[in-house]
Amino acid sequence: CHAEWREAVAAAAAWAIGELRSEGGSQQPETSLPPLKPQGEFRFAPASTAATMRLATEERYSAVADAAHGGDGTAQHTLGLLHYSGVGGAQRDERESAYWHAAAAVAGNVEALATLGGCVRR
């Protein structure tokens, strides 16, 4: 992993900590924390047949790219995963993967932050 990935993780973590502190953080009970934004991966419509499923899997990048560029943290996390594996119409590119995971973390996607942290830890 590259040094700029570490910087992206540090910036995302600092942002997340700042967000929690600005809402009272650990000084208030957990129930007073703001709700988390949608977490995890983008939710694709279920495929009804094997052929539809194959087509849907091959076109995941194009199906989620607009939402990711629009700031959707789940879509950004999904692009990061697609680039890391080189599937769904995305080219395998670890640097692009890290970019999208960092963007998703900044958008509030904790799973993306954890994924990016795993990359930096290697």
Side-chain angles (χ1 to χ4, degrees):
C1 292
H2 300 284
E4 61 253 13
W5 295 1
R6 289 191 178 108
E7 292 171 18
V9 171
W15 172 85
I17 291 167
E19 285 292 305
L20 290 173
R21 285 188 179 154
S22 71
E23 295 292 331
S26 61
Q27 298 171 3
Q28 296 180 6
E30 283 186 41
T31 55
S32 68
L33 290 174
L36 287 174
K37 294 179 180 181
Q39 299 296 305
E41 297 178 48
F42 188 80
R43 307 263 187 260
F44 293 96
S48 57
T49 66
T52 323
M53 185 174 192
R54 190 185 81 254
L55 181 62
T57 302
E58 292 171 359
E59 296 179 351
R60 287 188 173 199
Y61 182 89
S62 61
V64 76
D66 285 343
H69 286 279
D72 181 315
T74 61
Q76 292 168 333
H77 180 48
T78 297
L79 279 190
L81 294 171
L82 293 173
H83 275 294
Y84 183 78
S85 299
V87 297
Q91 295 293 321
R92 180 157 168 47
D93 185 334
E94 290 183 2
R95 184 183 205 100
E96 191 74 8
S97 174
Y99 170 84
W100 285 111
H101 282 106
V106 169
N109 191 321
V110 179
E111 290 185 32
L113 179 60
T115 302
L116 185 59
C119 174
V120 172
R121 190 176 60 237
R122 286 194 232 170

